[in-house]
Amino acid sequence: MPYYSKPLNNLINELVKLPGIGPKTAQRLAFFILERSNENVTNLARALVKAKSEIHFCRDCFNFANDELCPICQDQKRDHTVICVVEDAKDIVAIEKTHQYHGLYHVLQGTLSPIDGIGPEQLKIAQLLKRVKSGTVKEVVLATNPNVTGEQTAMYIAKLLRGLNIKLSRIASGIPVGGELEYADELTLGRALDGRTEI
Amino acid sequence: MPYYSKPLNNLINELVKLPGIGPKTAQRLAFFILERSNENVTNLARALVKAKSEIHFCRDCFNFANDELCPICQDQKRDHTVICVVEDAKDIVAIEKTHQYHGLYHVLQGTLSPIDGIGPEQLKIAQLLKRVKSGTVKEVVLATNPNVTGEQTAMYIAKLLRGLNIKLSRIASGIPVGGELEYADELTLGRALDGRTEI
């Protein structure tokens, strides 16, 4: 597009590579950025480079960290005897927002998916096993997504951990709070019945 | 939020400042950025800084430019006797996409809005007058938005230019192509009737 000057065109091309940013949004962002102060733009650019260069994976749980351990693994007030196993670091944020979990995490960095060539070696499963076997862990909560690959992964890990004398659990599936039975699919409703709790 | 490491939190805070990017999207973008290659992230950061530092306003038309003149004013194949007056540089992109206009532009950088303290001095109106008076210009197309402030601005400029022996026009308002009379508001339909053309 010759009606953009080159640096602007270049910026739009870079922004378009981000997820959920189409050409229109990229253009809007680029024009917005041009109207911001130099300092603002430099801050954003610096934050990008700094996050990328300083953040790596936590030694223990494979969450994002800028020290050897992530903020959660470092926190001595948390319960180090419980590990919640999730697929992705994003899931930690979701669980933390509930304020109901105070243990540690373990990020698998994906799910088992033979079709995509992802087996146990591609995930952080061996590392989880090692953590659990180290002795301090008393409970493991499997919090992979309740979809096909998430379920399979949870089942696979459950089999590995079963003999280890720890409490093993899976997060509940059921009707979301505020949802309606009428609109729930049969599988979810079946799970909700299966997982009924006494009141 | 203590569950993000600091550089990640910082990146999310910077991304949230962009228009249309809420906390959720910022988080998603930040996680995506962490998963990209170092080179990709550096390219984006560099494009940001470069666009901001190299781009300023075109000397003649106040479009974005990285030389003294913007690519459009530099283009000798374009018709330098016609000027299309727009509110914002974004509008140039929209008009260029029609491939129907081959003249130059003039970006007002806003519209008259006494309530917000924006009078003629805050806009590039004096500069437009100077360009028109310079002698090469034969036609001015007023393409501000057909809303209250855009109309007022067009009328104001029309008054200034009326005595100058140039052709003066305003873009047409009417039913959008593919639209239906049934759903058009009265004002738009009125304009469509007013602006009817012989066939």
Side-chain angles (χ1 to χ4, degrees):
Chain A
M1 284 174 282
Y3 37 87
Y4 292 131
S5 52
K6 228 184 113 202
L8 180 55
N9 210 3
N10 188 25
L11 175 58
I12 292 173
N13 286 340
E14 287 297 328
L15 289 171
V16 149
K17 293 178 188 167
L18 296 172
I21 309 278
K24 273 251 166 173
T25 310
Q27 187 202 307
R28 194 164 47 87
L29 288 174
F31 279 104
F32 175 85
I33 284 160
L34 289 180
E35 282 160 19
R36 283 176 79 186
S37 74
N38 268 321
E39 197 199 334
N40 268 326
V41 177
T42 319
N43 283 347
L44 173 57
R46 214 173 281 157
L48 279 164
V49 173
K50 220 173 156 189
K52 183 62 198 166
S53 66
E54 291 186 2
I55 289 182
H56 47 260
F57 296 121
C58 172
R59 187 195 65 191
D60 286 354
C61 78
F62 302 95
N63 183 13
F64 290 116
N66 58 327
D67 297 317
E68 194 181 4
L69 293 177
C70 75
I72 293 173
C73 285
Q74 276 181 40
D75 189 345
Q76 287 306 322
K77 273 181 257 153
R78 298 188 73 110
D79 185 351
H80 284 236
T81 67
V82 192
I83 291 180
C84 177
V85 178
V86 294
E87 295 178 15
D88 199 286
K90 287 184 202 78
D91 302 328
I92 295 184
V93 180
I95 295 177
E96 285 296 297
K97 279 183 181 154
T98 67
H99 298 292
Q100 294 205 5
Y101 179 72
H102 307 288
L104 304 184
Y105 291 92
H106 191 89
V107 182
L108 294 174
Q109 301 192 342
T111 49
L112 293 174
S113 176
I115 283 180
D116 305 311
I118 300 176
E121 309 75 39
Q122 275 73 46
L123 305 178
K124 303 298 179 189
I125 291 180
Q127 290 86 340
L128 172 64
L129 215 64
K130 208 177 134 198
R131 277 180 87 186
V132 176
K133 281 181 177 167
S134 73
T136 47
V137 180
K138 290 184 187 143
E139 182 173 356
V140 171
V141 182
L142 297 171
T144 53
N145 290 324
N147 55 23
V148 177
T149 58
E151 286 291 344
Q152 280 173 347
T153 310
M155 290 309 107
Y156 180 86
I157 294 173
K159 230 167 73 182
L160 288 178
L161 298 182
R162 203 152 278 151
L164 291 177
N165 194 27
I166 49 158
K167 206 173 142 188
L168 197 61
S169 58
R170 176 89 177 102
I171 51 162
S173 274
I175 316 286
V177 177
E180 291 176 39
L181 265 67
E182 189 182 346
Y183 302 115
D185 62 288
E186 311 91 281
L187 272 171
T188 300
L189 196 48
R191 287 285 191 89
L193 287 169
D194 266 353
R196 67 190 179 279
T197 50
E198 266 186 70
I199 52 167
Chain B
M1 282 175 283
Y3 37 89
Y4 292 130
S5 54
K6 229 183 115 204
L8 181 55
N9 208 6
N10 188 26
L11 176 58
I12 292 174
N13 287 340
E14 287 298 327
L15 290 170
V16 149
K17 293 177 187 165
L18 297 172
I21 309 278
K24 273 252 167 170
T25 310
Q27 187 203 307
R28 195 164 47 86
L29 289 174
F31 278 105
F32 175 85
I33 285 160
L34 289 181
E35 281 159 20
R36 284 175 79 186
S37 75
N38 267 321
E39 198 198 333
N40 268 325
V41 177
T42 319
N43 283 348
L44 173 57
R46 214 175 278 158
L48 279 164
V49 172
K50 219 173 156 185
K52 183 62 198 168
S53 66
E54 291 185 4
I55 291 182
H56 46 262
F57 297 120
C58 171
R59 187 195 66 192
D60 286 355
C61 78
F62 301 95
N63 183 11
F64 291 115
N66 57 326
D67 296 318
E68 195 179 5
L69 293 176
C70 75
I72 293 172
C73 286
Q74 276 182 41
D75 189 346
Q76 288 305 323
K77 274 179 259 156
R78 298 189 73 112
D79 184 351
H80 284 236
T81 67
V82 192
I83 291 179
C84 176
V85 178
V86 294
E87 296 178 14
D88 197 287
K90 286 183 203 79
D91 301 329
I92 294 184
V93 179
I95 294 175
E96 285 297 298
K97 280 184 181 154
T98 68
H99 299 290
Q100 295 206 7
Y101 179 73
H102 307 287
L104 304 183
Y105 292 92
H106 191 88
V107 182
L108 295 173
Q109 301 191 341
T111 48
L112 294 174
S113 176
I115 283 181
D116 305 310
I118 299 176
E121 309 77 36
Q122 275 72 46
L123 304 179
K124 305 298 179 190
I125 291 179
Q127 291 86 339
L128 172 65
L129 215 65
K130 209 178 134 198
R131 278 180 85 185
V132 176
K133 282 179 177 166
S134 74
T136 47
V137 179
K138 290 184 186 143
E139 181 175 358
V140 171
V141 183
L142 298 171
T144 52
N145 290 323
N147 54 24
V148 177
T149 59
E151 286 293 345
Q152 279 174 348
T153 310
M155 291 308 108
Y156 180 87
I157 294 172
K159 231 169 71 183
L160 288 178
L161 298 182
R162 202 153 279 151
L164 291 178
N165 194 29
I166 50 159
K167 205 173 141 189
L168 197 61
S169 58
R170 176 89 177 102
I171 51 161
S173 274
I175 316 285
V177 177
E180 291 176 38
L181 268 67
E182 188 182 347
Y183 302 115
D185 62 290
E186 309 92 282
L187 273 171
T188 301
L189 196 48
R191 287 284 192 88
L193 286 169
D194 266 353
R196 66 190 180 279
T197 51
E198 266 185 70
I199 50 167

